[in-house]
Amino acid sequence: MAMPHILLFSVFVVAACGLAYELVAAALSSYLIGDSVTQFSTVIGVYLFAMGVGSWLSRHVHRDLAGTFIRVELAVGLIGGFSAAMLFWAFVWISGPFLLLLYLLVFLIGTMVGLEIPLVMRLLEPKLQFKELVSQVLSVDYLGALAVSLLFPLWLAPKLGMVRTALLFGLLNAGVALWTLWLFRQELPRPRLLWAQGSLVVALLTAGFIGADKLSSLAETALYEDSIVLSESTPYQRIVMTRWKDDWRLFLNNNLQFSSRDEYRYHEALVHPGLASLPWARRVLVLGGGDGMAVREILKYPHIEQITLVELDPAMPRLFREHPALRKLNGDALNSPRVRIHTTDAFGWLAQSRESFDFVVVDFPDPSNYAVGKLYTNTFYRLLERNLNARGRAVIQTTSPLFARLSFWTVVNTVESVGLLSQPYHAQVPSFGEWGYVLVGREAYTPPSQLPAGLRYLSPASLPGLFHFPPDMARLPSEVNRLNNQILVRTFEQEWKQVLR
């Protein structure tokens, strides 16, 4: 392969590596901090600005272009390769300055990436005409970015994880440095020193890649109070299960989803006030709830003939159908012959579905980002209303009316805006505090006089108290959460930030 073609292939690789570090930083910060729109926007902005700084600095490189390019590749490979591990450990051990370190790291990597393309173009300048040089370099640069943007969500993040993905691209940067060193070995003043530096960087990155699981598990062990029994990265989230004695806890993107010691309170309150009031119900839809806990409660009604579960992340129902301890937690509910499972986006599924249901359980994560926030909009609730039987009812988990009071009543107001009657209520779940729900339907709600046998939290006598709101949780005026503004996400973030200060 001729030298120009090798250098053009180098452009493809360095473009892929540069975008990979950007995606890793943005995705990891959104995993750890939340608010994916803000994290991706700010990381991309800082990164692009830094690339401009790097391109401007390249004008000051007058000598030893090849040697400078090689050293930049080794530096960006080493720093970018270990960037995910550094950010993960920084979040665990120095959480206060985490954002400062994040943006400093992004700026440093972006500056070095900004140096790469101008240096390669100057190396190619004697070998190509200017118009061919610009068109070919930029074309290959964009192709490299396209390749990694497709691979990152489909294979790299779910299969390798953030730490190992960054290290893989660090090795690719080091590889570019070494083959550039070989190409220009006759022209470089001190090639042996560069070979030694390159070999050291490759050795460090290789060791990191091999030990990536240990690096991640050590950081996660420090992040979580209890022992980690399983962890998995998917295209949608980071799933971690911890255990302390008989307490199993599920975390999604570092956010607690349930504790086995009190999850029965949450799920009994989620299902039974609504479903027990519909003795004629036969068909139930569960949106979210891939852990099967809500399905477990629904199966306590013998008259329910079919339960349809729609869960975005296939890993969730797979884990809770196969893992012995998790099957025990949900009573092996997901393996019931009455349960059908669809692994797809609930918004799209509802839009295409022509089925109607007697009872719907909406058990999504809290609206901490815009991807989830769309499932709390009036557009989504119109789809929900369309798939609800005339006498049917739905229940929506609706965050805390105490800690996120305005967010709670925003959801209630949004549901009412599509013409459904609402009946808000709340329950005390020790792991979360006061937690809110809202029952919706076309008919007025009357609490049931009977509940399934064997419940540990609810009783017919305790039900009316769930629907009473004291002054500190009473209704607030709120706007409708619409798909084109998603005010709920911003409200939710502001309220919980105040709680966590």
Side-chain angles (χ1 to χ4, degrees), residues 268 451 455 457-464:
E268 286 184 13
L451 294 173
L455 299 188
Y457 174 51
L458 291 184
S459 67
S462 67
L463 275 180

Side-chain angles (χ1 to χ4, degrees), residues 45-229:
V46 171
Y47 193 84
L48 291 175
F49 170 72
M51 287 181 66
V53 173
S55 297
W56 181 82
L57 289 174
S58 68
R59 64 185 293 186
H60 299 289
V61 180
H62 302 294
R63 301 177 183 177
D64 192 19
L65 292 177
T68 301
F69 176 72
I70 291 166
R71 284 186 284 271
V72 168
E73 286 302 291
L74 293 176
V76 76
L78 185 64
I79 297 172
F82 282 100
S83 60
M86 286 190 285
L87 288 172
F88 209 171
W89 279 87
F91 182 81
V92 173
W93 296 109
I94 52 171
S95 56
F98 172 77
L99 283 176
L100 177 61
L101 178 64
L102 167 69
Y103 294 122
L104 284 175
L105 199 57
V106 168
F107 183 83
L108 178 60
I109 295 172
T111 300
M112 291 188 291
V113 170
L115 279 165
E116 292 172 324
I117 301 303
L119 291 176
V120 172
M121 292 180 72
R122 289 168 67 183
L123 288 171
L124 283 167
E125 192 173 11
K127 300 171 176 57
L128 293 173
Q129 293 184 0
F130 181 75
K131 63 178 182 179
E132 292 182 357
L133 172 65
V134 174
S135 64
Q136 290 187 34
V137 167
L138 292 181
S139 297
V140 173
D141 179 68
Y142 297 145
L143 282 174
L146 173 65
V148 77
S149 67
L150 295 175
L151 283 173
F152 186 81
L154 298 176
W155 187 76
L156 293 167
K159 298 296 183 183
L160 297 182
M162 298 298 165
V163 173
R164 188 164 273 149
T165 294
L167 287 161
L168 172 65
F169 283 95
L171 282 166
L172 290 176
N173 272 125
V176 169
L178 292 179
W179 75 53
T180 305
L181 175 55
W182 182 82
L183 283 175
F184 291 92
R185 62 191 181 279
Q186 304 297 334
E187 304 172 24
L188 293 166
R190 302 175 67 185
R192 290 185 179 180
L193 178 60
L194 289 174
W195 279 115
Q197 293 171 347
S199 300
L200 178 60
V201 169
V202 169
L204 290 172
L205 291 167
T206 302
F209 188 86
I210 294 170
D213 289 337
K214 186 170 289 188
L215 285 172
S216 300
S217 63
L218 285 173
E220 282 190 326
T221 299
L223 186 60
Y224 298 100
E225 295 179 1
D226 305 327
S227 300
I228 296 173
V229 292

Side-chain angles (χ1 to χ4, degrees), residues 192-360:
R192 290 185 179 180
L193 178 60
L194 289 174
W195 279 115
Q197 293 171 347
S199 300
L200 178 60
V201 169
V202 169
L204 290 172
L205 291 167
T206 302
F209 188 86
I210 294 170
D213 289 337
K214 186 170 289 188
L215 285 172
S216 300
S217 63
L218 285 173
E220 282 190 326
T221 299
L223 186 60
Y224 298 100
E225 295 179 1
D226 305 327
S227 300
I228 296 173
V229 292
L230 66 88
S231 59
E232 182 174 338
S233 292
T234 77
Y236 310 100
Q237 58 201 346
R238 177 68 174 171
I239 303 171
V240 175
M241 285 290 305
T242 68
R243 181 184 180 186
W244 184 73
K245 295 184 178 180
D246 63 340
D247 185 15
W248 290 71
R249 297 191 172 208
L250 171 66
F251 295 85
L252 300 180
N253 293 345
N254 200 34
N255 296 311
L256 178 66
Q257 302 302 301
F258 72 72
S259 164
S260 63
R261 287 191 170 179
D262 59 20
E263 59 79 18
Y264 68 90
R265 281 180 162 246
Y266 172 88
H267 291 102
E268 286 184 13
L270 176 69
V271 171
H272 299 299
L275 188 52
S277 69
L278 305 173
W280 50 268
R282 298 294 181 269
R283 293 165 53 82
V284 176
L285 171 65
V286 180
L287 301 174
D291 52 36
M293 305 297 188
V295 175
R296 177 196 66 203
E297 298 301 317
I298 297 167
L299 288 171
K300 293 177 180 177
Y301 295 83
H303 56 81
I304 299 300
E305 297 173 355
Q306 180 179 292
I307 303 168
T308 301
L309 173 68
V310 180
E311 164 65 45
L312 176 64
D313 191 345
M316 285 292 290
R318 173 178 55 79
L319 284 171
F320 283 84
R321 289 179 79 175
E322 297 176 359
H323 194 287
L326 304 184
R327 290 174 61 185
K328 184 178 179 180
L329 284 177
N330 65 24
D332 207 19
L334 297 184
N335 288 308
S336 168
R338 288 192 273 170
V339 177
R340 299 184 312 168
I341 300 176
H342 299 275
T343 51
T344 186
D345 176 63
F347 199 109
W349 190 89
L350 271 186
Q352 296 176 7
S353 174
R354 293 298 177 264
E355 297 184 65
S356 59
F357 298 90
D358 305 316
F359 187 61
V360 180

